[in-house]
Amino acid sequence: MQQLSWDFGNDKIITSLISGNAPDVFEIGSTWGPHFSQSGVLKEITQETRLYRSRYLMWEPVMVQDKVYGFPWLVGTRFLFYNKTLFKKAGLDPARPPRTWNELLRAAQKIKGLSSDTYGYGIAVAEEFAPWHTFIPYLWNGGGDVLSRNWKEVVLNSSAARQTLSFYQSLKPYALLNRQEQIDQMFAAEKVGMILSGAWNFKSIQKTNSKLEYGVSSVPTPKSSQSPMSFGGGEMLVILNKTKHPKEAFEFIRFLTSYEVELSLSRTQRNVLPSLKTALKDPFFEQDSHMKGFAEQMLTAKTPPAHVGWMKMEKILSSLIDRVMLQDEPIGQALEITSDRLSKILNQTQKRGAISDERLTFWILAFLLILVGSLWFLRNRNVPAGEMSTWVLVLPWVGLFLVFSLYPLLYSLVISFSDYHVLTSRFSLSGFSNYFSTLKDPEFLKALGHTLFFALGTVPFTLVISIGLAALIHQGVPWKSLFQAGFFLPVVTSIIVVATLFTFFYSENGFLNFILTAWGIPKPNPAWLINHKWALLSIMAMAVWSSSGYYLILFLAALQSIPSSLYEASRLDGASSIQQFFKITLPQLKPMILFVMVINTINSLQVFPEIFTMTKGGPARSTTTIVYYLYEKGFSEFQMGTASAVAYILALLMCVFAYFQMKVLREEA
């Protein structure tokens, strides 16, 4: 057994399927269900589940045209958390949480009026999933939807959606706009009065603030007479189609979905509910008011459309929330653009492919063997047999190079000209369509602009700072070794660790905002990494700080190689320190400057870990770079052909930059 996390469980499953090492039984998220169910990698269990269909919740994510490909296990939903203490202070009845949109708005206004650092409501933004998870219950309750009932057309651009977004915007002056995790933490710290969140907060609140007085309630609706609807999701248990033990696999699923096991997990974890309807009526849920509210909301929860393209659509919906809430984009325009993007996904057709992965591997390996054999024969046909023994020494390196370098390069090149289905490992050739569609994609062009801006904004600053620091240290400042070690420390620290630290540094209650507040300087609202104007600049500042130490060492080595006689001769001629720097130091550093500019530009064009850790390309796609776009296409949307095409476009871009930099600077150097 292996643990799967929500953030990376999908990637782990995909990797195991591609490598042919998938387990007999594994768990998938409900929003992943349609993609897996329609891929052909799961075993159909329609007959095995026919007796259980009416007894369990949430079959839709694993059903395709009345065929069943999974079993609902544990489920969850979103519901309203409210702080009873803040309700009392604001003159609100702590025993009566808001039931309607108007009541929610009035409560948020009163709580916000308590103090400048207290917020009435929390709105999730700048993430891939939480924004649409917490918005779509309001959309459904307001009478709107994303797709029609038969999933044939997009119905998002409606009066109901416009009214819902207008209500959402009316909450903004009294709300904290941040990521779900930060909103949950601020609620536990009694800085936010109400949030729409999940049951994971039960444990986190008990851990961080056990004295917090809070209650839970259903999602507010436009009218008090409505039945409150919320987003429902969960974990599905599925069986691999190629399993050698189908009977035992289903028996294991039945054990995990039994009354005793599901109820035990719900009691222990307190963040999930049984999918078995009778288990939801257990006395345990009556004894705990929080779990009772959780279970009551689950009974009226709704699952999103079980469409194979939903995993792509949910990111577009989150981007809609970001654009409206963070960029104040007009609602009508935002809905129209979002609907167009959703329609393109809706009209895409799934291609299984005619060529297997094994056949492609055979062709590539055969080509490499013929190529290497031909080159070896042509080069050594006149070499005496006794001298050919030296080639035996290089064969291990040649073998490793062919298998781990050249083979993946050729494999990805072929994939870039094909439609590749990652779960079935089959593809069909499509010519240059991946390249053309990528170059016409507005999201790619936006990512290209962000990448170029990142490179042009970081390379010059890094160059100037590293040269300046190297010159100061070279002059023999006090505590020279300490400064060298201090500046180089970020270089030897994992970039993931650095990015995580800076995420807290830039947070709403982070050190940077603390300093700005102490100095009386206004801080950005929303916070740095949530603000579409400051997010990319914040990451660029961190990148300059973390990489300058590496180039400092290179320039310091170059400075130490400059002959001291040049400086001595210039002093005799009456040259000042500034004149020495510009007339001697910089000209002598030009070869190193050329090297640093090329290397730093290549690194900047490949920026990814910082984006992945700090912003996930948000808010509103304002920090999406080429490599992060590549990652999304390949490992989130499973478009490996497009991802490979993006990789080769990026490689060409880096070659162009490197060529012009070397052409411009080489003659001077």
Side-chain angles (χ1 to χ4, degrees):
M1 297 191 69
Q2 290 192 25
Q3 178 72 24
L4 293 179
S5 68
W6 173 254
D7 291 333
F8 305 109
N10 190 36
D11 295 348
K12 197 169 187 177
I13 292 170
I14 295 294
T15 304
S16 69
L17 288 168
I18 295 173
S19 63
N21 192 34
D24 296 277
V25 177
F26 55 94
E27 167 206 334
I28 61 173
S30 56
T31 53
W32 313 344
H35 184 79
F36 281 95
S37 299
Q38 300 180 42
S39 65
V41 300
L42 302 183
K43 177 177 173 55
E44 182 191 343
I45 53 175
T46 307
Q47 292 301 317
E48 293 87 338
T49 58
R50 69 183 187 278
L51 298 177
Y52 308 101
R53 219 80 58 79
S54 61
R55 296 163 55 187
Y56 287 80
L57 296 168
M58 206 176 296
W59 291 94
E60 295 86 355
V62 286
M63 291 187 67
V64 181
Q65 297 177 349
D66 296 327
K67 294 182 179 180
V68 181
Y69 292 90
F71 206 113
W73 184 23
L74 300 167
V75 295
T77 186
R78 301 292 180 270
F79 48 96
L80 188 71
F81 289 75
Y82 64 98
N83 186 308
K84 293 184 177 181
T85 303
L86 292 179
F87 265 52
K88 293 176 185 177
K89 292 181 179 179
L92 299 167
D93 185 358
R96 191 183 184 283
R99 300 293 184 185
T100 65
W101 290 2
N102 288 333
E103 290 177 0
L104 179 68
L105 180 58
R106 286 197 297 269
Q109 290 172 336
K110 290 185 177 182
I111 294 172
K112 178 59 181 173
L114 294 175
S115 66
S116 60
D117 61 344
T118 302
Y119 301 90
Y121 188 72
I123 296 178
V125 292
E127 291 185 85
E128 295 179 344
F129 306 111
W132 80 265
H133 282 174
T134 51
F135 169 75
I136 205 165
Y138 291 105
L139 177 64
W140 286 336
N141 287 314
D145 212 331
V146 180
L147 302 180
S148 60
R149 290 186 177 182
N150 59 3
W151 308 338
K152 296 295 184 182
E153 59 179 319
V154 177
V155 296
L156 180 63
N157 193 4
S158 63
S159 59
R162 287 190 286 273
Q163 290 173 2
T164 305
L165 281 170
S166 296
F167 163 70
Y168 226 49
Q169 279 189 327
S170 68
L171 289 169
K172 182 178 177 180
Y174 320 105
L176 170 66
L177 275 63
N178 214 315
R179 296 190 179 93
Q180 186 73 62
E181 184 180 359
Q182 280 71 39
I183 290 174
D184 292 343
Q185 291 173 358
M186 293 285 280
F187 178 81
E190 302 190 60
K191 294 295 183 182
V192 179
M194 298 171 291
I195 60 173
L196 198 67
S197 191
W200 58 81
N201 281 305
F202 294 155
K203 274 192 173 182
S204 62
I205 291 174
Q206 182 64 30
K207 183 178 180 180
T208 58
N209 187 3
S210 59
K211 297 182 180 179
L212 180 68
E213 293 185 36
Y214 72 97
V216 300
S217 179
S218 300
V219 179
T221 58
K223 300 177 182 179
S224 58
S225 58
Q226 287 183 238
S227 176
M229 194 183 304
S230 185
F231 161 76
E235 302 164 11
M236 312 282 120
L237 295 172
V238 296
I239 302 173
L240 186 68
N241 198 20
K242 296 181 180 180
T243 181
K244 298 178 181 178
H245 312 282
K247 182 179 178 181
E248 292 81 356
F250 188 75
E251 288 180 3
F252 181 55
I253 288 179
R254 284 298 303 127
F255 165 73
L256 291 177
T257 56
S258 64
Y259 187 105
E260 295 79 11
V261 173
E262 285 198 355
L263 187 61
S264 177
L265 286 169
S266 184
R267 282 176 169 174
T268 305
Q269 296 300 317
R270 291 179 56 81
N271 59 5
V272 289
L273 293 172
S275 61
L276 183 62
K277 295 177 183 178
T278 54
L280 285 172
K281 299 178 182 179
D282 191 89
F284 164 70
F285 296 104
E286 290 294 328
Q287 297 165 3
D288 189 318
S289 61
H290 294 156
M291 291 298 290
K292 180 182 179 181
F294 182 19
E296 287 176 349
Q297 182 66 89
M298 188 68 232
L299 293 174
T300 58
K302 176 182 175 181
T303 57
H307 188 274
V308 70
W310 184 258
M311 291 182 69
K312 303 175 187 176
M313 296 181 187
E314 55 190 9
K315 293 183 180 181
I316 296 175
L317 292 173
S318 289
S319 180
L320 165 68
I321 308 304
D322 286 352
R323 299 204 315 274
V324 171
M325 300 304 293
L326 297 177
Q327 298 182 346
D328 295 320
E329 184 174 330
I331 291 175
Q333 175 182 314
L335 285 172
E336 184 176 353
I337 294 173
T338 302
S339 297
D340 289 341
R341 294 180 62 191
L342 293 174
S343 296
K344 291 179 181 178
I345 296 174
L346 199 63
N347 295 325
Q348 285 179 352
T349 56
Q350 284 270 313
K351 297 181 180 180
R352 291 292 178 88
I355 305 173
S356 67
D357 186 59
E358 292 82 1
R359 190 185 301 180
L360 174 60
T361 300
F362 173 78
W363 288 345
I364 293 177
L365 292 178
F367 170 76
L368 290 176
L369 287 175
I370 294 173
L371 177 65
V372 173
S374 301
L375 292 174
W376 181 83
F377 175 77
L378 292 174
R379 186 175 179 84
N380 299 282
R381 56 186 174 180
N382 297 322
V383 177
E387 297 181 13
M388 295 173 64
S389 61
T390 56
W391 284 92
V392 176
L393 298 176
V394 299
L395 281 179
W397 179 89
V398 172
L400 292 173
F401 172 75
L402 292 177
V403 173
F404 294 105
S405 295
L406 193 54
Y407 165 72
L409 188 68
L410 293 175
Y411 185 95
S412 63
L413 181 62
V414 174
I415 292 300
S416 72
F417 292 100
S418 67
D419 289 316
Y420 185 86
H421 195 282
V422 66
L423 292 179
T424 59
S425 297
R426 301 182 71 85
F427 68 96
S428 56
L429 296 177
S430 59
F432 287 90
S433 62
N434 289 328
Y435 289 89
F436 292 146
S437 62
T438 297
L439 293 173
K440 291 189 295 184
D441 186 1
E443 291 295 322
F444 172 78
L445 298 177
K446 187 183 294 185
L448 174 62
H450 294 156
T451 304
L452 295 177
F453 180 74
F454 187 95
L456 295 174
T458 56
V459 172
F461 282 103
T462 304
L463 191 69
V464 171
I465 291 173
S466 55
I467 290 177
L469 292 174
L472 288 175
I473 293 175
H474 183 63
Q475 292 296 322
V477 295
W479 306 95
K480 175 181 175 180
S481 299
L482 179 63
F483 278 109
Q484 284 182 259
F487 289 129
F488 196 70
L489 182 62
V491 179
V492 297
T493 305
S494 168
I495 188 62
I496 300 296
V497 174
V498 173
T500 302
L501 290 174
F502 267 80
T503 300
F504 290 102
F505 179 76
Y506 286 130
S507 67
E508 180 73 26
N509 295 323
F511 184 70
L512 181 57
N513 280 351
F514 173 77
I515 295 296
L516 293 177
T517 303
W519 289 351
I521 302 174
K523 60 183 181 182
N525 184 32
W528 297 90
L529 297 178
I530 310 298
N531 195 307
H532 70 280
K533 296 179 181 178
W534 288 102
L536 188 59
L537 292 173
S538 301
I539 298 174
M540 290 165 62
M542 185 211 73
V544 171
W545 176 85
S546 62
S547 62
S548 294
Y550 172 71
Y551 302 114
L552 179 153
I553 299 299
L554 297 180
F555 282 119
L556 193 59
L559 286 170
Q560 292 171 349
S561 67
I562 299 176
S564 57
S565 58
L566 296 177
Y567 294 101
E568 294 171 359
S570 66
R571 288 194 200 98
L572 293 176
D573 291 337
S576 64
S577 298
I578 297 177
Q579 289 175 320
Q580 287 179 336
F581 180 78
F582 285 102
K583 298 295 184 180
I584 298 175
T585 304
L586 279 183
Q588 293 293 316
L589 287 178
K590 281 182 179 178
M592 183 58 71
I593 291 174
L594 171 62
F595 174 77
V596 167
M597 285 190 66
V598 172
I599 296 300
N600 197 7
T601 300
I602 291 174
N603 290 337
S604 297
L605 292 175
Q606 297 181 92
V607 59
F608 173 74
E610 301 92 327
I611 305 295
F612 181 80
T613 305
M614 300 175 75
T615 63
K616 294 287 195 301
R621 314 291 293 174
S622 61
T623 61
T624 301
T625 57
I626 291 181
V627 178
Y628 190 79
Y629 176 89
L630 182 156
Y631 169 80
E632 285 188 315
K633 289 295 179 183
F635 298 98
S636 294
E637 301 178 14
F638 312 115
Q639 297 181 23
M640 287 297 179
T642 302
S644 299
V646 174
Y648 281 96
I649 292 173
L650 177 60
L652 179 62
L653 181 66
M654 288 190 291
C655 290
V656 170
F657 265 83
Y659 172 77
F660 280 106
Q661 285 178 328
M662 295 180 70
K663 185 174 180 64
V664 170
L665 295 176
R666 179 181 291 170
E667 296 180 359
E668 299 180 12

